Amino acid sequence: MSRSEGRRDARPEDLGPEWGREKKPSAIKRIFAIFFRTVLVLMETVLLVAMLLYGVMYVVAKGPSPTARDLFVMSVRETSAIGFLANLFFSEEEIAQIESSKKDVDYVETDTSLININTETTSPESGGQSSADAWGLVDEDGDGIILQPVKGEGFSGFMMVVLDPSRVIMGSVPSSYGREAYTVEQMVKKFDAVAGINAGGFEDEGGMGDGSIPDSLVVVDGQVYYSGSGYGQGGGFVGFDSNYIMHVGRPTVAEIKEKDIRYGVCFGPVLVSNGEPVDPDSLGSGLNPRTAIGQRSDGAVLLLVIDGRQVISMGATYQDLVDIMLEYGAVNACNLDGGSSSLMWFDGGYVNNCASVVGIRPVPTTFLVLKEGASANG
């Protein structure tokens, strides 16, 4: 009998238990195959989303609407991390031309006589307001703070009205500049406050700054820091003097000392000055998260945050902030640092949503609200 005949006559049971079975891949190979397919699907999804976003941006940037084009450029250029997106569609010269369309404004000196602090509703003994004030607001729980939701076309946020301006201070630690920064919540707790918002800007090249170095002039407890750094991105300044009156504009260091400014930061632009809105032609901006501060004629301080970069709240323009501040009675108001830094902390937590994809960012300066009975002068 030949070998081939022997193989033909062999029975299955004589060839062992594995005969006739298809060899299965090992568990490791199966896991690797699943992982590879998952990664491939994710990459394809990301690529499709990126292509879709690019297409949308191209239509907005290169479409027939100059307004939409300018809004796109202004929106991305106001951020540290994604400002490069404008360069995908426009040259530096074209971007500069769009940004230069804003008209410069000469700020006038703040008229302090327009602010008359209402001591009847700001003293701890008063127990707050029992009825609506001139702007229709009521301090229902008597804590001297009124928090109101704010809504507009395409945006939402919160307005905090602090009836006693002496409770508003600058939360900042100059000894930590260049070494350490603090979140708004950490500043609130460090200064034993009850509420706070972010304030001035900071060095943030490519969105990678640690928030410890202010990018412009800062005043803390009457001392001026970074005096050679100018007025910041928005070209404006806001600060409180020893009488708790808020000043806006572009004061020199000498004027800051002359007016006895105790707390102040640069950012801007100024939104309202001496009861009048600034020239709209000077307020070209995009849609972004915003933070702003103002003061009413009775001295009450207005702290505003607007959410942005979300489906339910795309963000606000500077003109939107002007309209809101005027609605709440601001005599003077100024824009503060926005974007991923825009946050308000109150009553044990943040009241608005953080726009940063990397989490809450530390900042060098904040405006804080002290506990009832406490004041900036101790």
Side-chain angles (χ1 to χ4, degrees):
M1 181 174 63
S2 66
R3 294 179 184 176
S4 59
E5 291 174 337
R7 283 196 297 270
R8 283 196 301 269
D9 294 339
R11 294 173 298 178
E13 57 267 26
D14 296 331
L15 298 177
E18 300 300 326
W19 186 86
R21 297 183 185 176
E22 183 180 351
K23 191 173 182 180
K24 296 182 179 179
S26 66
I28 295 178
K29 289 184 178 180
R30 290 198 303 273
I31 292 173
F32 179 79
I34 294 173
F35 175 77
F36 180 78
R37 286 197 295 269
T38 302
V39 171
L40 186 61
V41 170
L42 287 175
M43 290 178 62
E44 291 176 344
T45 302
V46 170
L47 181 60
L48 289 173
V49 171
M51 292 174 61
L52 177 61
L53 290 176
Y54 182 86
V56 171
M57 288 188 294
Y58 184 87
V59 171
V60 172
K62 296 296 187 178
S65 172
T67 301
R69 176 202 65 197
D70 293 354
L71 194 63
F72 166 75
V73 172
M74 293 290 189
S75 296
V76 299
R77 293 283 289 184
E78 287 173 349
T79 70
S80 300
I82 62 172
F84 70 91
L85 290 177
N87 298 91
L88 296 178
F89 308 100
F90 304 101
S91 66
E92 288 292 345
E93 292 75 16
E94 291 173 319
I95 294 172
Q97 184 177 5
I98 293 172
E99 292 181 326
S100 65
S101 62
K102 293 189 295 184
K103 178 182 176 182
D104 196 18
V105 59
D106 293 324
Y107 296 124
V108 299
E109 184 176 352
T110 296
D111 184 354
T112 58
S113 69
L114 298 176
I115 307 297
N116 298 288
I117 297 175
N118 187 351
T119 57
E120 292 183 2
T121 59
T122 60
S123 64
E125 295 79 12
S126 68
Q129 301 169 209
S130 58
S131 58
D133 61 18
W135 296 272
L137 303 177
V138 179
D139 178 18
E140 296 179 350
D141 56 7
D143 65 350
I145 297 174
I146 303 171
L147 186 65
Q148 293 265 301
V150 172
K151 291 187 179 297
E153 186 174 347
F155 66 84
S156 60
F158 292 90
M159 172 69 81
M160 178 180 290
V161 182
V162 184
L163 300 180
D164 182 357
S166 72
R167 293 174 61 184
V168 178
I169 67 166
M170 168 76 70
S172 188
V173 186
S175 61
S176 295
Y177 291 166
R179 298 188 299 105
E180 182 181 8
Y182 305 85
T183 64
V184 175
E185 176 184 2
Q186 289 170 336
M187 285 287 197
V188 168
K189 294 179 178 179
K190 187 173 184 64
F191 286 84
D192 196 26
V194 296
I197 58 172
N198 65 293
F202 52 91
E203 293 187 5
D204 192 30
E205 186 68 28
M208 301 300 292
D210 64 0
S212 67
I213 304 177
D215 66 355
S216 49
L217 185 149
V218 177
V219 185
V220 183
D221 293 325
Q223 298 295 313
V224 179
Y225 301 86
Y226 295 89
S227 59
S229 301
Y231 294 102
Q233 180 177 326
F237 172 85
V238 56
F240 289 86
D241 65 23
S242 56
N243 294 316
Y244 318 119
I245 293 177
M246 196 180 88
H247 296 248
V248 295
R250 290 179 186 156
T252 64
V253 172
E255 290 171 333
I256 286 173
K257 294 180 178 179
E258 177 187 344
K259 299 176 187 301
D260 197 18
I261 302 295
R262 305 302 299 167
Y263 302 101
V265 294
C266 293
F267 205 82
V270 172
L271 304 169
V272 182
S273 178
N274 295 329
E276 298 294 332
V278 300
D279 187 342
D281 292 335
S282 69
L283 294 176
S285 68
L287 295 172
N288 273 303
R290 304 289 182 189
T291 304
I293 187 169
Q295 188 172 41
R296 299 190 318 196
S297 59
D298 64 347
V301 178
L302 308 173
L303 306 178
L304 174 67
V305 289
I306 299 294
D307 282 334
R309 304 172 191 168
Q310 304 169 29
V311 175
I312 59 174
S313 183
M314 294 296 293
T317 65
Y318 292 152
Q319 187 59 51
D320 291 327
L321 301 187
V322 171
D323 296 339
I324 296 169
M325 283 294 182
L326 290 176
E327 178 184 349
Y328 278 82
V331 173
N332 296 296
C334 186
N335 178 61
L336 297 172
D337 191 12
S340 58
S341 298
S342 286
L343 283 170
M344 176 183 288
W345 197 94
F346 177 58
D347 196 24
Y350 290 105
V351 302
N352 68 309
N353 298 312
C354 179
S356 174
V357 296
V358 296
I360 294 171
R361 305 190 68 186
V363 294
T365 55
T366 58
F367 280 112
L368 306 178
V369 183
L370 298 174
K371 295 178 178 179
E372 292 183 85
S375 71
N377 291 336

